[in-house]
Amino acid sequence: MKTDSALQHQAPFWAIWANPIVRRYARSRMRPRALGISLLITLMIAGFLFFVIRQVGIYQAELSIRDAHRMPIIPLLFFQGFILFVLGSGQTAAGMTAEADEGVIDYQRLTPMTPLAKVVGYLFGLPIREYATFLATMPFTLWAFWRGEVPLHIGLQLYGVFMIAGVLYHLTGLVAGTVLKNRRWAFLSSMGLVFALYTVVPQASKLGLVYFKYVTIEPVVRESLPYLVESRMGAAAQTMENFAPAAQFFNLNFPQSVFTAGTLLFLIGTMVVMLWRRWHRAESHLMGKAGATGLFAWIQLMLLGNALPLIEPSGRVFLSHGARYFQLEGGGWSPAAGETLAMSGIYGLVTLMILCLMTVLITPDRTSQIRGWRRTRKLGRPKLSFQSDPATSFPWVFAMAAIGSGGWFWFTKKLVESAWFGTTDMPIAILPVFFLVTAVGGFGFHALLEGKGKRAAGLAVILIGIAPLLVGVTIGATGEALVPLAVWISGCSPVAGPIYAVLTFLPLSNLPPDFERTIPRAFWFWQGVGLLWSCKLAIQLRRSRIKIATSTQ
Amino acid sequence: MTGKPETNGNAIEIRDLRVDYGDFVAVNDLSLTVPYGEVYGLVGPNGAGKTSTFRVLATLMEPTYGEVSLAGIDALEDKESARRIMGYMPDLAPVPSDLKVREFLDFYTHTYALGTRNECRSRAEECLEIVSLTDQRNSWCRELSRGQTQRLVLAKTLLPSPKVMILDEPASGLDPLSRRELRLSLQAIAHEGATVFVSSHILSELAEMCSSLCVMNQGQILASGTATEVRNQLGRAERQIAVTVLGPRDNIASWLASQHGVLEVTKSEQHDQRVILRFTGGDHEQAALLSGILEQGVAVKSFEEKSSSFEDILVKIAEDNRRQEGSPDEN
C-alpha cells in the first residue's frame, strides 16, 4: 500500500499525456473496433475529397500541379472543422452529462486531482477519438500543403488558430455538459450553442460588432486564403484582404491571426475559470460577481476597440461599405442614415442581451440566499458579503447597465458625429435615455430571476421578450393601416427598446409620418410601464430578501 | 485543524452541521464524533438527513454552516487533503458502463497516484481479492450484478487505503449472502485500522456490524452509543415474543398479561396455541419470563423473539414522522 506522500505526486495539470482522465478515455473511446470504423469512414471521406478535387483540378480545369493541390485544402478544412468543432464539442458535452447522469462524477470529484487537472482531463479526454480522426485527415492536408507549395508559416498560423478554436469549442461543450442534466440535450444543445456562438453571432460583425468575428477562425482563413486556393482566386482573395489588412484594435494594428488567437485564448481562460469554480465547489456560480462585471466591461472594450477605428476614414464598419464592390455604378460611397441607426440599435440590443446573460450567471436562487443568510447569522455577521454568491446581484447589474449604456452611447456618438454625416451632434441628453433602456430591461430581468426564479424569468423572456415581437411583425405585415398597432404591440418587448430609443432620439432619424408620432409615444409608454413594473418587482424582491434575512435570525 | 492527518483524537468530528434545501432543513445543527478504528453506524428512516450528512463529510456538498474534520483535516476548507485520506461509497453506487472492472480500478489507482504501473496493478488486485471479485476482473462493469457492483465500488473505495471510509447504505439492494460478505469485508477493513462510518436503514444489521451507532431523524440525532445504550436512550426497547404452548392458551395468556414488562398479549389468529406479547424488559427479564411460564406447568413448544426491537424503533420513528407530516397543524 502506498503512503500519503505518494498521493501527493500527481502529474502537473499541463502533462496531458499523464492525465488519468485522458488515459481513461483513451481506453474507452479508442477501442480498436469503434476507432477502426471511425478511421475508415474518415479516411474514405477525406481521401475522396482530396483525390476527386485534385483530379478535377488537373484533368478537367487543367490547373498546374501546385494549384490543383491547393484546391482540396479548404474542403478538407471544412471536414476537419466538422469533426473537431461539431462532433468533438457534442461528444464533450454529452460525455460530461453522461458522467453526471451515471453518477460516477462524484467519484471524480473525490479524487485528489486539482480542479484544473480535471478540466484538462475532460477537455482532452472526452473528444479523444475526434482528435484521432482529425489527425487521420492530416496526411492529405500535409500532402496538399507540400505539393501546393503553401508557405510553412501560413500552415502553422492556420492550424495553430484552428486548434485553439477547437479547444474553445470543446470548452463550450464542457460548460454546456456541466450545466445541463440530460445527455441527449447536452449533445444537441452544445452543437447548437457552438453553431450559434461561432457561426451566427459572428454575423453581427457585419453590423458594426466587429469583435465577434474574432471568435471564429474566419479572419485567419481570410488572411491565409491567398495561399490556400489556386492562383487566380488567390489573387482575388489577396485584393479583398488588402482592404482589411489588420485588426485595428484602437488603431494598434494587430495581425489578424494574433488578434484572433488572443481573443480565443481569452475566452478559453474565461471558460476554464468557470469550470474550475464548479470543480472546486459544485454549488458555485459559473462566475463571480466582480468577474462577470469585469468580463462585461472587457466585451464592451473589445466591441468599441474594434469598431471605432473602422468608422472613419475608411467607413469599413458599415455593411454597405463592403457591398459597394458588388455595385456596378460608380461614384462615391457614403453610409445611409438608416444603416447607422440600425447599427446603433443592434449595439444596444446586443449589450442588453449580454447584460441578461451575465445576470443569469451571477444571480442567486432562493436556496442559495437562505443558505447564505443562515451561514452569515451563524458566523455572527450582520449581512452577506457583497461579492458572495448568495448576495444580491442588483448593484452589479446596475454597474453593467451603466457600463453598457456608456459603451452604446460612445459607439453611437462616434457614428453620428463621423465625417460621413457632416456636422451632426449627438446630445449628451441621450445617454440617460440609453441608460434607462438598458436598466429597465436589465433590472426587470434581474428582479424576476432573483425574486421568482429561473422558470418565471424564462417564461417572461418568451411571453414579454419574444411573443410581442412576433405578434407585432405579423400584424404589421397584414397591412399599412395596422402598422401603428404593430409598433405599439412590439414596443412591449424590451428587445424593441434599443431600436425605438435610437429611432426616437438620434438626430439622424427621419421617420415617416406614420412612425413619427407612434414610435416615440410607444417608446415612452412602454419604458414607463417597464420602469414601474421593474420597481414593483424590485420592491417585491427586497421584501422577499428581508423576509429571508429575518427568518434566518 | 491542519492539512496533515492526525492519528490521535477522533477520526471524524462534526460540529453544528446544518444543511438546507430551500426551506427544508435536512440536517439541523448536528454534532458528533467518531473515534479512530471504529465501525460507526448512522441509522434513520428515509429523509432523516443521512445522505446529506455523508455528502458533506465526503466534501461533495457545501453545508449551510458547520465544521467537519476528518483525521484532523478541515474537510470544508482543505478538501483536497481531506480527499486523500477519505474513501466514499455512495448509495446505490454507480459504475461507468464503458469500462471493464480492471480498467475501472486502474483508472482510480492513477488518479490517486498510487505508484508505478505495476504497483497500481497489484494494489487493484489486492482490493479485488478483499471483495472477492478477482474472477470478474475482465468483465464489463455494466455486466455485474447489483451485489458485484457494490463490491467493486467498495474495492475502488479501498484503493488508496483510506483512513476514514464513508459508506452510504452499502448493503442496499444486496441479497443476504452478499450482505454478509460485505459485512465481513467491512469488519476486516476496520481491523486493519480504518475508521468506517456506515449508514443503513436496517438497524439490526448495523447493530451486528458496528461498535457504536447513532439514530438520526429529521436532521437530528435521537440517540447514540453502543447498541444497548441506544436501545435504552430511546426508551422503546420493545420486542415481540411468540409463545407456542401444547394445550389451551387462555390461562397462560392471562398470566403473561400480569407480568412486569409485558405491554400487551394477543392470541394468534393463524395458530390456536400461540400467544404474542409486546415485551419491554431486558435480556435477563426475558429469560425470567420463560422460567416463569415453565413454572406455571405449561408445556412450551417454542419461545421465539419475533422481531428485533431495533426494527420497531425505526418503524415507530417513521410512523411518527408520517403522522406529523399528515397532521393538519403542520399544514
Side-chain angles (χ1 to χ4, degrees):
Chain A
M1 288 189 198
K2 302 308 290 181
T3 59
D4 291 338
S5 59
L7 297 177
Q8 313 274 352
H9 293 110
Q10 295 284 352
F13 79 89
W14 45 262
I16 296 168
W17 58 93
N19 190 303
I21 302 175
V22 175
R23 287 185 178 188
R24 174 244 188 273
Y25 283 106
R27 250 179 175 162
S28 66
R29 295 212 66 228
M30 303 273 270
R31 295 198 193 280
R33 194 184 296 172
L35 180 65
I37 291 170
S38 295
L39 288 177
L40 185 67
I41 294 170
T42 306
L43 286 171
M44 275 173 60
I45 296 173
F48 172 75
L49 284 175
F50 176 78
F51 286 112
V52 80
I53 295 171
R54 174 182 169 273
Q55 299 306 89
V56 166
I58 294 173
Y59 299 107
Q60 305 295 320
E62 295 181 353
L63 298 173
S64 66
I65 292 292
R66 190 189 79 158
D67 283 353
H69 278 89
R70 282 186 176 187
M71 282 184 69
I73 292 176
I74 295 293
L76 279 171
L77 193 68
F78 269 99
F79 183 51
Q80 290 161 344
F82 175 75
I83 294 172
L84 211 56
F85 299 167
V86 179
L87 295 183
S89 306
Q91 181 55 46
T92 310
M96 199 68 225
T97 316
E99 289 257 309
D101 200 23
E102 287 178 350
V104 289
I105 201 149
D106 278 354
Y107 303 152
Q108 207 43 50
R109 283 189 190 287
L110 292 177
T111 55
M113 293 168 68
T114 62
L116 201 53
K118 286 170 189 169
V119 172
V120 168
Y122 280 113
L123 183 63
F124 292 98
L126 281 165
I128 197 161
R129 196 194 295 167
E130 283 68 30
Y131 277 115
T133 47
F134 163 75
L135 285 176
T137 65
M138 282 310 283
F140 298 107
T141 300
L142 291 174
W143 182 261
F145 271 40
W146 179 48
R147 299 301 307 272
E149 295 170 23
V150 177
L152 182 64
H153 75 275
I154 293 292
L156 291 176
Q157 162 187 303
L158 179 66
Y159 277 88
V161 174
F162 185 90
M163 295 308 290
I164 294 172
V167 170
L168 174 65
Y169 299 175
H170 295 166
L171 268 169
T172 310
L174 207 54
V175 173
T178 307
V179 174
L180 294 166
K181 306 287 178 209
N182 178 298
R183 72 174 85 173
R184 194 172 299 164
W185 269 111
F187 184 77
L188 291 173
S189 57
S190 70
M191 288 203 293
L193 197 66
V194 165
F195 181 76
L197 282 180
Y198 307 115
T199 310
V200 179
V201 171
Q203 299 310 313
S205 66
K206 292 173 181 140
L207 296 162
L209 305 170
V210 186
Y211 172 61
F212 287 133
K213 80 174 178 184
Y214 295 110
V215 300
T216 69
I217 61 165
E218 189 202 325
V220 181
V221 174
R222 275 179 182 275
E223 199 175 68
S224 314
L225 204 58
Y227 305 95
L228 303 179
V229 290
E230 56 107 351
S231 309
R232 281 167 300 171
M233 287 165 72
Q238 185 65 63
T239 309
M240 295 292 286
E241 190 55 24
N242 287 340
F243 290 105
Q248 296 184 338
F249 180 70
F250 287 118
N251 288 319
L252 290 174
N253 292 350
F254 290 100
Q256 301 253 21
S257 53
V258 172
F259 197 80
T260 305
T263 298
L264 297 177
L265 287 170
F266 178 80
L267 291 174
I268 286 173
T270 306
M271 289 199 188
V272 167
V273 169
M274 288 182 179
L275 290 165
W276 183 89
R277 285 174 63 90
R278 273 291 165 97
W279 275 108
H280 185 65
R281 222 183 115 233
E283 293 90 353
S284 282
H285 289 166
L286 284 175
M287 291 201 87
K289 289 181 164 67
T293 310
L295 178 63
F296 183 84
W298 171 263
I299 293 171
Q300 285 294 323
L301 196 69
M302 289 291 123
L303 289 174
L304 292 169
N306 282 287
L308 299 185
L310 303 183
I311 294 175
E312 54 183 347
S314 69
R316 278 196 291 121
V317 77
F318 296 98
L319 178 62
S320 59
H321 179 271
R324 81 187 196 280
Y325 295 113
F326 302 102
Q327 292 167 351
L328 294 174
E329 68 265 24
W333 166 88
S334 67
E339 183 183 5
T340 310
L341 295 171
M343 283 165 65
S344 170
I346 287 168
Y347 191 104
L349 179 60
V350 169
T351 296
L352 187 60
M353 287 165 72
I354 298 172
L355 169 63
C356 290
L357 179 70
M358 293 297 163
T359 306
V360 171
L361 294 183
I362 59 172
T363 300
D365 60 11
R366 197 163 180 278
T367 300
S368 164
Q369 292 174 47
I370 291 174
R371 284 180 159 209
W373 271 109
R374 289 215 165 111
R375 190 176 301 134
T376 305
R377 299 291 185 213
K378 184 72 180 171
L379 295 171
R381 293 179 188 149
K383 55 185 180 181
L384 291 168
S385 153
F386 187 59
Q387 283 199 47
S388 66
D389 281 355
T392 182
S393 49
F394 178 81
W396 305 94
V397 175
F398 183 90
M400 284 191 275
I403 294 167
S405 50
W408 180 18
F409 179 79
W410 192 8
F411 175 72
T412 310
K413 185 177 163 65
K414 287 286 176 185
L415 279 178
V416 170
E417 293 182 352
S418 65
W420 303 107
F421 301 106
T423 54
T424 316
D425 277 333
M426 173 92 168
I428 189 76
I430 294 177
L431 178 59
V433 175
F434 280 7
F435 177 73
L436 175 76
V437 172
T438 320
V440 164
F443 290 162
F445 182 72
H446 159 259
L448 206 58
L449 189 66
E450 196 169 308
K452 313 268 181 196
K454 280 185 181 163
R455 269 189 202 174
L459 208 61
V461 167
I462 294 167
L463 296 179
I464 304 172
I466 301 170
L469 285 181
L470 301 179
V471 173
V473 169
T474 309
I475 290 174
T478 311
E480 268 188 40
L482 294 173
V483 168
L485 178 65
V487 168
W488 274 96
I489 293 173
S490 302
C492 164
S493 165
V495 173
I499 312 288
Y500 282 22
V502 164
L503 292 174
T504 304
F505 292 97
L506 251 54
L508 299 177
S509 180
N510 189 15
L511 294 169
D514 272 357
F515 293 100
E516 201 174 17
R517 277 176 300 163
T518 320
I519 287 184
R521 285 178 182 177
F523 172 75
W524 280 119
F525 176 78
W526 287 118
Q527 286 304 310
V529 170
L531 187 64
L532 290 174
W533 192 60
S534 297
C535 287
K536 186 185 170 220
L537 285 172
I539 292 165
Q540 283 179 351
L541 171 65
R542 182 158 171 74
R543 280 190 192 139
S544 138
R545 288 193 69 94
I546 289 171
K547 196 175 163 192
I548 291 172
T550 48
S551 71
T552 51
Q553 271 177 333
Chain B
M1 296 177 194
T2 61
K4 279 193 170 181
E6 287 175 4
T7 44
N8 18 352
N10 293 310
I12 300 172
E13 278 183 23
I14 302 174
R15 207 175 303 150
D16 299 337
L17 183 71
R18 174 155 179 148
V19 178
D20 296 285
Y21 299 101
D23 291 322
F24 177 71
V25 184
V27 181
N28 194 357
D29 287 328
L30 179 88
S31 294
L32 74 90
T33 52
V34 180
Y36 280 101
E38 281 215 29
V39 180
Y40 195 93
L42 182 62
V43 199
N46 289 341
K50 304 187 296 288
T51 298
S52 296
T53 306
F54 274 37
R55 287 183 69 80
V56 171
L57 276 176
T59 71
L60 285 172
M61 189 185 194
E62 198 87 357
T64 304
Y65 56 74
E67 289 174 31
V68 174
S69 147
L70 299 175
I73 297 167
D74 187 333
L76 302 181
E77 289 297 319
D78 191 1
K79 287 180 184 159
E80 281 181 35
S81 298
R83 286 168 182 172
R84 287 198 181 98
I85 54 112
M86 174 258 295
Y88 170 66
M89 180 174 168
D91 182 12
L92 293 174
V95 284
S97 52
D98 58 348
L99 289 180
K100 292 181 175 179
V101 166
R102 68 180 155 76
E103 292 172 343
F104 177 65
L105 293 181
D106 273 359
F107 170 47
Y108 285 100
T109 54
H110 286 115
T111 59
Y112 281 98
L114 292 182
T116 63
R117 181 174 290 203
N118 284 339
E119 285 172 327
C120 286
R121 279 201 183 144
S122 71
R123 178 62 188 148
E125 285 296 321
E126 264 177 55
C127 293
L128 279 178
E129 254 180 61
I130 294 172
V131 298
S132 316
L133 268 184
T134 311
D135 294 344
Q136 303 292 334
R137 68 163 77 83
N138 288 317
S139 303
W140 287 95
C141 291
R142 59 174 178 258
E143 289 169 353
L144 298 180
S145 69
R146 181 75 242 158
Q148 287 171 330
T149 304
Q150 293 284 90
R151 280 188 277 145
L152 172 60
V153 177
L154 181 63
K156 180 211 87 71
T157 313
L158 290 172
L159 282 174
S161 311
K163 284 188 164 54
V164 179
M165 289 185 69
I166 299 159
L167 312 175
D168 191 5
E169 305 259 4
S172 66
L174 297 190
D175 58 43
L177 183 67
S178 307
R179 214 178 279 175
R180 186 173 168 274
E181 283 175 354
L182 182 75
R183 193 173 66 226
L184 294 173
S185 300
L186 291 184
Q187 281 169 339
I189 292 159
H191 276 300
E192 283 186 18
T195 304
V196 182
F197 194 20
V198 58
S199 81
S200 174
H201 57 268
I202 305 167
L203 235 160
S204 53
E205 186 182 79
L206 275 192
E208 282 176 38
M209 189 193 303
C210 301
S211 40
S212 299
L213 53 92
C214 74
V215 179
M216 195 173 176
N217 186 43
Q218 297 185 328
Q220 288 175 316
I221 289 180
L222 294 183
S224 64
T226 62
T228 318
E229 283 166 358
V230 166
R231 198 184 287 177
N232 293 337
Q233 282 176 52
L234 288 173
R236 284 192 267 203
E238 177 187 315
R239 67 197 83 175
Q240 275 193 355
I241 297 171
V243 183
T244 311
V245 295
L246 295 176
R249 60 183 175 180
D250 292 346
N251 289 343
I252 194 65
S254 52
W255 180 83
L256 281 169
S258 65
Q259 296 306 300
H260 177 72
V262 176
L263 296 178
E264 188 186 19
V265 179
T266 49
K267 293 172 186 170
S268 170
E269 288 176 8
Q270 286 84 31
H271 200 299
D272 58 8
Q273 292 177 313
R274 180 175 296 168
V275 288
I276 297 164
L277 47 141
R278 281 171 57 208
F279 183 66
T280 56
D283 292 342
H284 292 292
E285 287 86 353
Q286 191 172 323
L289 189 72
L290 176 59
S291 309
I293 297 169
L294 294 172
E295 281 167 14
Q296 294 297 310
V298 180
V300 178
K301 190 179 166 193
S302 72
F303 183 89
E304 191 182 355
E305 192 174 310
K306 289 294 283 181
S307 62
S308 90
S309 59
F310 277 125
E311 301 312 318
D312 291 342
I313 290 168
L314 215 58
V315 166
K316 288 214 164 179
I317 291 169
E319 279 174 357
D320 288 348
N321 289 347
R322 272 190 209 159
R323 222 170 289 135
Q324 275 178 19
E325 280 163 18
S327 152
D329 296 345
E330 293 295 311
N331 305 323

